[in-house]
Amino acid sequence: MHSLHIIDVPLYIVVIIVLFKIDSSVFQTYKFYLIWHTVINVITEFHNCFLMLPVVHLPYPLLRATGYLADWGFSGLFQFYFLSALIIQTGCSVMEMFYFRYQASVFDYKEKSFTKFVKSFTLAFRFLTILFPTITFGTFFYSIKLQEEYKKELAMKDPSIPEITCYSSVLAAPFSDSVMISTMVTWLGCIVCTFSVIPSTTIYLNSHLRNTKNMSPGVVRMQKMLLSSLIVQTFVHGIMLGIPNIMFVYTIYFGSDLEVAAYVAFICLTFHGFLSTIAMIIFTKPIQIGILEMFRYSAEKFSSFYE
């Protein structure tokens, strides 16, 4: 799996450089949202593959970190919280991009009643993005004590997994205490915001761009292209983050012995950013042009060096 980094790390670097170099007026602000989104993807992938590197212990919702952070003495709970915060950051960046695309596409958006709907859910997601780490890391030492109790109970119930009591392991126990209830409610709030804004904004913008008279045909084509690119990226995230979340929730409540499926879910979670970046390149023409120009410039420099 690490061999994939030979491809995706250079791709991330090239895309970020190209985004910084794009000077199109239509793309000038939006590119920083794409950079933010891409950087979060890179950090998530690096965290999963090197820092956390989780191992599953089925049929229980038990993860054990085996990466560098575990070697350095970080608890499994801390690493799990950090991963969860990164996933919420991914969702926040997508929400912000949809809100920005709405503002950029609707000339008189301040006068539209739909703006209040989109803005309220976007602000709610921002609040939840801050609330989640505030709750989890603010109650961290209390949660560590609870984790030890939960893991000891499971170890007494099933002593066949000695890794249960490891400091680097984390046992999911939703709705078992006030902290877990708060984090689950925060997580569900993020899902509600996402499913409220993204489909409705997509439908609204598609209808608006078909009928608008306030933009030239070229600008309309650009806005449609950027919206289509964002929709495809969101679809990739929805599938590749949705599968791990569904499997994780299923394992919590029903248990699971499907170890292969668990690792497939982990791969989806880890490399969702890579596929999203590929989709962004395929469906975003300014990025395509920027990449081609970068390679053309590099080829010219290389050829001139040997002349």
Side-chain angles (χ1 to χ4, degrees):
M1 189 169 64
H2 289 303
S3 59
L4 188 58
H5 297 309
I6 298 172
I7 301 172
D8 68 358
V9 170
L11 183 70
Y12 286 135
I13 294 171
V14 167
V15 167
I16 291 173
I17 292 173
V18 166
L19 284 170
F20 271 113
K21 293 178 69 174
I22 291 176
D23 57 1
S24 167
S25 58
V26 178
F27 216 72
Q28 195 59 40
T29 303
Y30 185 61
K31 70 180 184 180
F32 292 108
Y33 287 97
L34 293 176
I35 291 168
W36 169 30
H37 185 71
T38 305
V39 169
I40 294 297
N41 290 337
V42 173
I43 295 172
T44 303
E45 185 175 318
F46 182 75
H47 176 73
N48 285 351
C49 287
F50 298 101
L51 299 182
M52 187 176 183
L53 196 61
V55 174
V56 297
H57 292 280
L58 301 176
Y60 306 109
L62 179 71
L63 295 175
R64 181 170 56 88
T66 63
Y68 289 115
L69 288 180
D71 294 339
W72 297 335
F74 287 86
S75 70
L77 184 64
F78 173 86
Q79 298 178 60
F80 181 75
Y81 279 166
F82 187 71
L83 175 59
S84 300
L86 287 173
I87 294 172
I88 291 177
Q89 274 286 328
T90 299
C92 184
S93 65
V94 171
M95 287 281 289
E96 292 290 347
M97 285 192 287
F98 267 96
Y99 186 45
F100 182 83
R101 289 265 53 83
Y102 171 74
Q103 291 177 305
S105 301
V106 182
F107 181 75
D108 55 345
Y109 72 91
K110 292 182 179 179
E111 302 172 9
K112 302 291 184 181
S113 57
F114 185 69
T115 303
K116 295 180 180 178
F117 173 84
V118 179
K119 186 176 181 179
S120 61
F121 279 106
T122 304
L123 291 175
F125 206 109
R126 290 176 188 174
F127 172 74
L128 294 172
T129 303
I130 298 171
L131 180 64
F132 181 82
T134 302
I135 293 173
T136 52
F137 295 110
T139 60
F140 180 74
F141 294 105
Y142 171 69
S143 297
I144 282 286
K145 293 179 181 178
L146 293 176
Q147 271 288 307
E148 296 304 316
E149 294 176 8
Y150 299 146
K151 290 190 287 187
K152 285 179 182 178
E153 290 176 8
L154 182 58
M156 293 176 65
K157 178 182 175 182
D158 185 358
S160 64
I161 307 177
E163 295 89 353
I164 289 176
T165 55
C166 287
Y167 188 65
S168 61
S169 65
V170 57
L171 179 65
F175 303 111
S176 55
D177 57 74
S178 59
V179 177
M180 285 295 182
I181 291 171
S182 299
T183 55
M184 288 299 293
V185 169
T186 303
W187 194 265
L188 290 172
C190 291
I191 293 173
V192 170
C193 290
T194 302
F195 280 96
S196 297
V197 167
I198 292 175
S200 60
T201 306
T202 299
I203 294 169
Y204 185 94
L205 287 180
N206 277 322
S207 174
H208 174 78
L209 290 172
R210 279 198 302 268
N211 303 310
T212 185
K213 305 296 182 183
N214 296 319
M215 291 184 284
S216 67
V219 173
V220 170
R221 284 195 299 271
M222 173 68 79
Q223 296 292 357
K224 286 183 177 180
M225 178 267 294
L226 293 174
L227 178 61
S228 298
S229 175
L230 181 55
I231 291 169
V232 174
Q233 290 178 68
T234 305
F235 180 77
V236 171
H237 285 301
I239 295 297
M240 298 193 72
L241 291 179
I243 291 173
N245 276 285
I246 291 170
M247 291 194 62
F248 189 63
V249 171
Y250 180 86
T251 304
I252 288 173
Y253 291 104
F254 304 106
S256 175
D257 291 312
L258 300 174
E259 188 169 333
V260 173
Y263 283 107
V264 169
F266 167 69
I267 292 171
C268 289
L269 177 63
T270 302
F271 294 106
H272 73 275
F274 174 54
L275 291 185
S276 172
T277 303
I278 291 176
M280 181 172 66
I281 294 170
I282 293 173
F283 291 93
T284 311
K285 194 168 183 179
I287 297 177
Q288 294 176 16
I289 295 171
I291 292 174
L292 290 174
E293 288 178 352
M294 177 182 286
F295 280 110
R296 189 180 299 115
Y297 177 79
S298 300
E300 289 174 357
K301 285 288 184 181
F302 184 79
S303 61
S304 63
F305 179 79
Y306 285 98
E307 287 179 358

